[in-house]
Amino acid sequence: MAKGRLGIEIGNSRVKIVEMKNDEIVNFAALDLPANVVRNEEIISWDGMRDFLKTAVRENHFTAKQVYLALPDNAVYLRRLTLPLMTEKQLAVNLPYEFHDFVTGDKEQYLYDYMVLDRIKHDNGPEELELIGVAISKEPMNSYQTMFHDAGLKLVQAAPQSITYSSLMKHADEEKAKEDFAILDVGYAATRVTIYAKGQYYTSRDIERGCEYLASKVADLLHVDDHIACLYLVGDNQGVMDRPELTDACGDIAVDVMRAINYYTYENRDNNLETLYVCGGGEEIPQLLNAIRETVPLNLVSLRTLSEGIVKDPRAMAACPSAIGMCWNGEDD
């Protein structure tokens, strides 16, 4: 890795940035976004985000300029596909047709990419390719390129968040990365469960409840604004997290997570899913973790336990796992 990389993930309420040099994470930051810059994981103020990134890079002493961007899953169409064995040129022609039921408008308005998972050999039949196909509208990608350029950076690669976690696991523990596992990202606005079969992305489910859902309960109980309520969540100020209203709210999220896991295990009876790795702001809320642990029939493990050999500071793994995974994703510079 000749040049430094900036792995960046832009969420609803925070931007996560890590800097990698010589295969080592040397700097990281998870920074709160101002209001009205991102909504529902879509940038609504590109100028505001540009100015935020310029300031963030300067004030946090990041020196690399090449950006490796973790895209929110809901910004892309992501599909597991099985196709007849074909050349790269043939794949480039055929891949858009695999998304015709998903994309709207002209297929030429989208960018397409893929990652080959396996070549399947049949005893009596043609060889097939198992792959993950991705489609994304050209419009936001052009806006990303312009924004990073105007911020003094260069967008080099982008990949869906689900793919970045797979890359992270492969570098953290090669053996565990070959197993079935799930990632639980408890964010501010929502929670996402992403499931991997034999180390490869299989499916994901969004849950429209996250730390904001808990904060709203705290705000109602203590008559404080949402920002103060978020601080109460982690510090458990006044024992608010043990109030029945918060116990029930944690239980709501736990049940939603259980449903996502149960749906996968029911549809895939031969699965070997045993471990649920947790990350995101919700990891700092013990009552929520306990509710999930008591409800979901999997081993709940912090993603930061995979830090050894990847980052010196486990806080980086807890705060910016997708950005770290994106640094590992793709080809070397």
Side-chain angles (χ1 to χ4, degrees):
M1 193 176 295
K3 299 178 181 179
R5 295 181 174 185
L6 287 183
I8 295 180
E9 177 198 351
I10 299 172
N12 282 310
S13 59
R14 299 186 120 192
V15 169
K16 291 86 176 278
I17 308 175
V18 299
E19 184 169 13
M20 178 180 284
K21 290 185 176 179
N22 297 319
D23 293 348
E24 182 181 345
I25 301 298
V26 296
N27 193 8
F28 74 96
L31 308 167
D32 291 334
L33 274 168
N36 302 317
V37 176
V38 177
R39 184 180 300 140
N40 297 326
E41 295 190 317
E42 292 185 13
I43 297 174
I44 58 175
S45 174
W46 292 95
D47 290 343
M49 182 59 70
R50 174 203 62 208
D51 294 342
F52 180 87
L53 287 171
K54 288 175 68 174
T55 301
V57 168
R58 181 181 68 252
E59 292 186 350
N60 291 277
H61 311 293
F62 292 106
T63 59
K65 302 298 181 184
Q66 296 194 337
V67 172
Y68 291 71
L69 178 65
L71 294 166
D73 280 2
N74 64 8
V76 304
Y77 297 100
L78 195 64
R79 294 193 66 194
R80 284 179 69 104
L81 301 167
T82 302
L83 299 175
L85 183 64
M86 60 183 72
T87 66
E88 290 185 8
K89 289 184 178 180
Q90 290 172 325
L91 272 172
V93 172
N94 285 279
L95 198 56
Y97 293 99
E98 298 296 326
F99 289 91
H100 73 277
D101 290 337
F102 298 86
V103 302
T104 58
D106 188 350
K107 67 178 185 297
E108 300 299 327
Q109 297 175 352
Y110 290 80
L111 299 170
Y112 302 88
D113 204 352
Y114 64 91
M115 180 174 65
V116 175
L117 303 178
D118 198 7
R119 290 176 62 164
I120 305 171
K121 296 181 179 179
H122 298 283
D123 294 335
N124 298 306
E127 198 169 345
E128 293 180 319
L129 287 174
E130 186 178 3
L131 52 84
I132 294 177
V134 179
I136 184 170
S137 172
K138 291 180 180 179
E139 183 178 352
M141 291 310 301
N142 291 336
S143 297
Y144 276 121
Q145 287 182 322
T146 300
M147 178 192 70
F148 284 119
H149 176 271
D150 292 347
L153 305 170
K154 180 181 179 181
L155 179 60
V156 176
Q157 289 186 20
Q161 186 180 47
S162 294
I163 302 301
T164 69
Y165 285 133
S166 181
S167 298
L168 179 65
M169 285 294 297
K170 288 176 183 176
H171 282 82
D173 191 317
E174 194 170 349
E175 291 305 312
K176 288 182 181 178
K178 298 175 183 177
E179 302 172 356
D180 294 359
F181 62 90
I183 303 288
L184 174 63
D185 185 354
V186 187
Y188 179 70
T191 298
R192 175 173 290 133
V193 179
T194 309
I195 299 175
Y196 300 80
K198 297 180 180 178
Q200 302 294 349
Y201 170 79
Y202 185 86
T203 189
S204 61
R205 173 168 289 192
D206 287 339
I207 298 166
E208 294 182 355
R209 290 178 173 137
C211 296
E212 183 181 28
Y213 176 67
L214 302 179
S216 68
K217 304 293 184 182
V218 173
D220 290 342
L221 282 170
L222 301 183
H223 308 292
V224 297
D225 63 30
D226 288 346
H227 178 72
I228 298 298
C230 286
L231 299 178
Y232 278 46
L233 286 179
V234 177
D236 193 15
N237 199 304
Q238 299 183 30
V240 67
M241 290 305 301
D242 294 323
R243 300 272 286 269
E245 294 87 346
L246 272 299
T247 300
D248 291 345
C250 289
D252 292 340
I253 296 175
V255 169
D256 286 339
V257 174
M258 179 188 68
R259 287 173 177 161
I261 296 296
N262 285 352
Y263 180 81
Y264 168 77
T265 55
Y266 179 80
E267 293 292 320
N268 300 270
R269 301 296 181 90
D270 60 345
N271 76 86
N272 295 305
L273 183 60
E274 295 180 351
T275 305
L276 178 63
Y277 294 98
V278 62
C279 61
E283 188 188 354
E284 304 296 328
I285 306 173
Q287 291 83 351
L288 176 58
L289 294 187
N290 288 337
I292 296 171
R293 190 175 289 111
E294 292 171 359
T295 307
V296 179
L298 297 175
N299 298 321
L300 189 66
V301 179
S302 171
L303 198 62
R304 72 178 72 195
T305 61
L306 302 176
S307 298
E308 187 175 354
I310 289 191
V311 295
K312 293 181 178 179
D313 189 339
R315 294 176 302 169
M317 184 69 81
C320 315
S322 188
I324 294 173
M326 190 60 220
C327 281
W328 288 113
N329 191 69
E331 300 297 327
D332 285 343
D333 302 312

